[in-house]
Amino acid sequence: MNFISNLITTPTKEHLLLNHYIIIIISLVFLTYIGILFGSVFLSLIYFNRSRSEENPFFLKLAKDLASTFIGKKSTGLILGIIPSFVLLVSFSQILYDSSILISQYFLYIFLFTTASVLFAHLYQNSMLNDEKNEQVRNLWGALTLVGLVLMIFTFISTTGLILFPSRWTLVRMQIPVFFDFNIVVRFMIFFAAAFAVTGSAIIFFFFNWGGGLPAQSYTQAGKQNLDKDYREYVAKLGGGLSLGFTLLLPLLIVWNFKTIPPLAETYAAYWVAVAALVLLLVIANLLYLLLKNSNVKYGSSIFVLLIITLLVMTVNDNIAREQALTQQSLILAAKADEVEMEIKMEQEQAKGTGEADIAIGEQIFNSKCIACHRFDQKLVGPAYKDVLPQFENDMDALVNFVLNPKKVNPDFPAMPNQGLKPQEARAVAKYIMHEYQTKYK
Amino acid sequence: MRNKIIPAALFGYFALMIVALLAMGFYWNNFQKPPEQPIKFPHDIHAGKLNLPCQNCHQYTDKSMRAGIPAMQVCMNCHKNAAIDRPEVQKLLKYWENKEPIPWVKIHGFRKNANVRFSHKRHIKAGVECTTCHGNMKVTKEVRRVVNLKMGFCVSCHRANAAPTDCWTCHK
């Protein structure tokens, strides 16, 4: 997948930060959508199959309502699923530019799996709403959607998990990253628990609160059955119970996540952010309890919004771990970006073709490197320039060669380390110190 | 009755989880966090900006089992004169004047009961880069472990490079 890396240049520090923000926002949207898609197709499929064996008119209606509400229009899948997965591909490829992890490849698979799942989900929706005669076909599309999503989630969780273990990057070289760590297992469980919690609250929110709730005559077998009281109660209980159950599971998993998080990704701040998430979950659990107890769906919107905020907090926490684990990667990239900037400057100055330009660049290099050990008029770690430069006055090439390849000359001083300059840079710095010496210290 | 028990149970459960989390955070912050060194030695300046090779200071890496903490004399070769106005360098000068060793905190190592006999020399001779285990010091401000140094890490690298994986290779 090198073609993607070839399109990217070394990101600067600011650019990396921007990418981290993009990742937080986009993965919140993406994972919430994928979670709800998974949860709703899963439930819809269960209720569809229950409706075939049990005589309960709610089941088929619920299966259809879930499919029509959450799979939505074709643009929904494109905007919330396919495009975000591509944005994540680009952003992750940038923060992990030039590292040994096969990040673009993994995210390309994520993109492909997402696209396939969204397509399958629409085929499933169509077969449900058009009352496809062959029931096996409906099951097939539903099952394919779930398989696609599970593959996508597996790739996503193991990829983002692998990022936290930089020492394993060179060792995991499969098409899709497959490796075992308890942290990955916990992350899977967190994803599915959050997915069902948010699906439950989304059922309440979109069926009852959003825009006045579902139209009374929604897709039913008869086509005209009202969203009557019993059905409302059944759905509210289902959504609330589902959401409450998994909301209660989440704190345990969050604590377990901290027990298994790789040491390189650990920070103190992350604990406090997680506490904030737990407090939010406590409020949500209480609201859900009230909702179930009073069979009153008026808390639906607050629960859904609070749950999304909790997911945001958890995404931020994930990103804190990621930034911490990538400290070294980010510093390497920042150093590289500086190098690239210097190269561009050199080229620009040389295009101007004046001697002055070289001197300006030389001054910059002198101030960042040489000045640590050298002064013009006093001996520090190395000798004073005014003592050693005279011998080079008529032989600039020798001075440039010395800068490029220093040797120990005087036993009074420690050997000068090779500064790793490029020939052009060495020439620039030689020009600068000679110019300074001749104009000011001679 | 039930109306009160369930909210109380909810609250208790969440409070328990929050306390557990805070206790874990507190423990990590006080006992497991990467240690603070007596002098904030900036590897990024020495190895990065000044481009000093690792063995300029860690002189025994290719000669002995232990890479060795550089002798203070190595620091003083340059810091007799270089950057003596900086506070961290002044700490160094103070140790030097008082003839005290710098109490560096060890970061890489194995549990005693693991009985691991690791030789730097062997690994350097075999061409393993320092960065494989220590990370890229050219950009590191504060040293911390970048690999877990558990057996899985050692063995996977040994396998990948066709090095022996006998127990006796590392454990004595």
Side-chain angles (χ1 to χ4, degrees):
Chain A
M1 293 326 129
N2 278 335
F3 70 94
I4 289 165
S5 309
N6 290 343
L7 298 176
I8 298 169
T9 177
T10 316
T12 60
K13 211 164 69 190
E14 294 76 17
H15 205 116
L16 284 177
L17 191 65
L18 181 69
N19 271 306
H20 278 289
Y21 290 144
I22 292 176
I23 286 173
I24 291 176
I25 301 294
I26 298 294
S27 53
L28 174 69
V29 171
F30 178 66
L31 292 177
T32 311
Y33 172 73
I34 294 294
I36 293 179
L37 189 64
F38 183 85
S40 56
V41 173
F42 184 79
L43 288 176
S44 170
L45 213 51
I46 284 180
Y47 278 98
F48 170 61
N49 283 299
R50 278 181 79 179
S51 78
R52 292 165 67 195
S53 54
E54 290 171 50
E55 278 301 317
N56 189 332
F58 294 164
F59 291 168
L60 188 63
K61 179 172 161 52
L62 183 57
K64 288 184 172 187
D65 280 345
L66 283 167
S68 70
T69 312
F70 294 116
I71 300 173
K73 298 188 191 100
K74 292 205 173 56
S75 55
T76 320
L78 185 68
I79 294 169
L80 299 178
I82 299 174
I83 293 174
S85 70
F86 190 76
V87 174
L88 288 175
L89 160 74
V90 176
S91 278
F92 270 101
S93 299
Q94 286 182 73
I95 60 169
L96 287 151
Y97 178 67
D98 216 16
S99 66
S100 47
I101 187 171
L102 305 172
I103 194 77
S104 331
Q105 177 185 318
Y106 300 153
F107 268 94
L108 196 67
Y109 277 104
I110 290 169
F111 172 71
L112 293 176
F113 289 145
T114 311
T115 312
S117 318
V118 168
L119 288 176
F120 288 137
H122 277 282
L123 288 170
Y124 174 70
Q125 188 191 35
N126 280 343
S127 70
M128 283 306 277
L129 301 186
N130 298 333
D131 289 317
E132 165 72 46
K133 284 277 167 344
N134 188 345
E135 290 173 338
Q136 291 307 331
V137 173
R138 302 198 212 181
N139 272 334
L140 176 71
W141 293 137
L144 280 175
T145 312
L146 294 184
V147 170
L149 284 174
V150 166
L151 276 174
M152 194 291 282
I153 294 157
F154 177 80
T155 317
F156 189 90
I157 304 263
S158 3
T159 305
T160 47
L162 183 61
I163 290 173
L164 304 183
F165 295 89
S167 62
R168 297 195 192 185
W169 290 356
T170 46
L171 302 172
V172 181
R173 309 302 277 181
M174 291 80 127
Q175 290 289 309
I176 295 170
V178 183
F179 72 108
F180 179 80
D181 194 279
F182 274 113
N183 192 243
I184 304 292
V185 179
V186 184
R187 280 160 185 278
F188 265 111
M189 293 168 79
I190 289 183
F191 176 83
F192 285 111
F196 281 110
V198 82
T199 306
S201 79
I203 287 175
I204 293 170
F205 179 67
F206 285 103
F207 278 30
F208 304 121
N209 306 107
W210 177 255
L214 277 194
Q217 292 176 352
S218 59
Y219 307 97
T220 61
Q221 205 159 21
K224 284 194 179 68
Q225 194 176 343
N226 286 344
L227 201 64
D228 58 32
K229 200 166 165 268
D230 287 350
Y231 181 68
R232 281 178 73 100
E233 259 173 33
Y234 184 80
V235 172
K237 233 180 222 161
L238 171 78
L242 192 69
S243 200
L244 182 61
F246 284 99
T247 304
L248 290 180
L249 189 59
L250 271 174
L252 265 176
L253 294 175
I254 290 175
V255 172
W256 193 18
N257 180 33
F258 274 92
K259 193 89 190 79
T260 56
I261 198 166
L264 207 59
E266 236 172 325
T267 51
Y268 194 39
Y271 286 96
W272 289 98
V273 178
V275 167
L278 289 196
V279 172
L280 279 164
L281 284 174
L282 170 63
V283 177
I284 293 166
N286 271 303
L287 286 175
L288 280 167
Y289 168 68
L290 285 178
L291 183 143
L292 285 174
K293 197 182 82 175
N294 307 333
S295 301
N296 190 342
V297 292
K298 72 175 176 193
Y299 306 116
S301 329
S302 338
I303 292 171
F304 186 67
V305 172
L306 279 173
L307 207 50
I308 297 290
I309 295 174
T310 314
L311 293 183
L312 173 66
V313 173
M314 285 163 69
T315 318
V316 168
N317 218 353
D318 220 31
N319 204 63
I320 292 177
R322 187 158 44 238
E323 270 193 88
Q324 181 67 26
L326 290 181
T327 311
Q328 211 164 57
Q329 161 75 8
S330 310
L331 288 169
I332 292 171
L333 285 183
K336 265 195 195 141
D338 287 346
E339 231 172 74
V340 171
E341 197 187 355
M342 192 72 195
E343 254 170 50
I344 293 172
K345 238 184 213 168
M346 292 278 291
E347 273 168 26
Q348 281 175 345
E349 297 288 348
Q350 252 150 23
K352 284 184 201 159
T354 53
E356 295 281 310
D358 262 0
I359 290 174
I361 294 166
E363 183 175 6
Q364 218 173 346
I365 297 170
F366 174 84
N367 284 329
S368 79
K369 286 174 177 272
C370 320
I371 204 167
C373 298
H374 289 288
R375 299 285 184 280
F376 282 93
D377 52 352
Q378 78 188 82
K379 100 179 198 202
L380 209 60
V381 178
Y385 281 156
K386 68 172 184 190
D387 297 335
V388 288
L389 280 185
Q391 55 176 310
F392 293 113
E393 253 186 306
N394 297 319
D395 194 359
M396 280 297 276
D397 284 345
L399 179 58
V400 175
N401 282 339
F402 186 85
V403 174
L404 283 173
N405 214 347
K407 289 179 200 71
K408 187 156 181 153
V409 182
N410 185 340
D412 291 348
F413 300 103
M416 174 171 148
N418 189 327
Q419 297 297 312
L421 293 176
K422 299 200 175 69
Q424 287 176 341
E425 294 171 326
R427 185 159 294 280
V429 81
K431 260 191 193 171
Y432 166 72
I433 56 177
M434 192 55 90
H435 173 82
E436 281 291 288
Y437 163 69
Q438 284 173 342
T439 50
K440 291 184 190 156
Y441 297 95
K442 201 171 177 179
Chain B
M1 191 61 187
R2 205 171 146 233
N3 286 350
K4 281 183 187 162
I5 288 178
I6 293 180
L10 275 182
F11 191 80
Y13 168 68
F14 275 89
L16 189 73
M17 289 299 147
I18 289 174
V19 169
L21 202 57
L22 283 178
M24 280 163 66
F26 182 79
Y27 178 75
W28 181 82
N29 195 39
N30 286 284
F31 302 106
Q32 290 192 312
K33 205 166 57 166
E36 258 181 45
Q37 299 290 356
I39 297 175
K40 283 190 187 125
F41 177 84
H43 273 91
D44 57 337
I45 290 182
H46 292 83
K49 213 164 155 191
L50 300 176
N51 212 22
L52 296 173
C54 309
Q55 292 176 1
N56 195 68
C57 305
H58 300 278
Q59 292 167 350
Y60 310 115
T61 37
D62 59 345
K63 301 183 186 71
S64 151
M65 269 182 69
R66 289 161 201 279
I69 294 290
M72 268 167 104
Q73 181 62 51
V74 176
C75 311
M76 294 309 289
N77 276 346
C78 297
H79 283 294
K80 259 184 298 198
N81 297 313
I84 48 177
D85 53 333
R86 310 226 170 117
E88 296 298 314
V89 177
Q90 279 174 352
K91 281 189 204 165
L92 166 76
L93 296 177
K94 209 164 189 184
Y95 282 113
W96 177 252
E97 278 162 24
N98 297 342
K99 298 194 171 147
E100 279 172 14
I102 306 170
W104 299 112
V105 184
K106 186 166 185 166
I107 291 176
H108 294 83
F110 302 98
R111 275 181 297 118
K112 248 222 162 101
N113 57 5
N115 281 328
V116 174
R117 189 175 173 277
F118 176 85
S119 168
H120 273 92
K121 181 175 144 185
R122 292 277 156 225
H123 288 84
I124 298 286
K125 292 250 154 97
V128 180
E129 294 288 332
C130 309
T131 48
T132 310
C133 303
H134 294 284
N136 189 336
M137 283 295 148
K138 288 187 174 220
V139 295
T140 304
K141 279 194 172 54
E142 208 176 319
V143 185
R144 67 184 287 184
R145 274 193 190 199
V146 291
V147 301
N148 60 16
L149 291 185
K150 288 197 177 139
M151 208 170 95
F153 173 75
C154 302
V155 170
S156 47
C157 192
H158 269 229
R159 277 199 194 125
N161 293 295
T165 48
D166 273 1
C167 310
W168 282 87
T169 308
C170 311
H171 298 287
K172 303 285 165 186

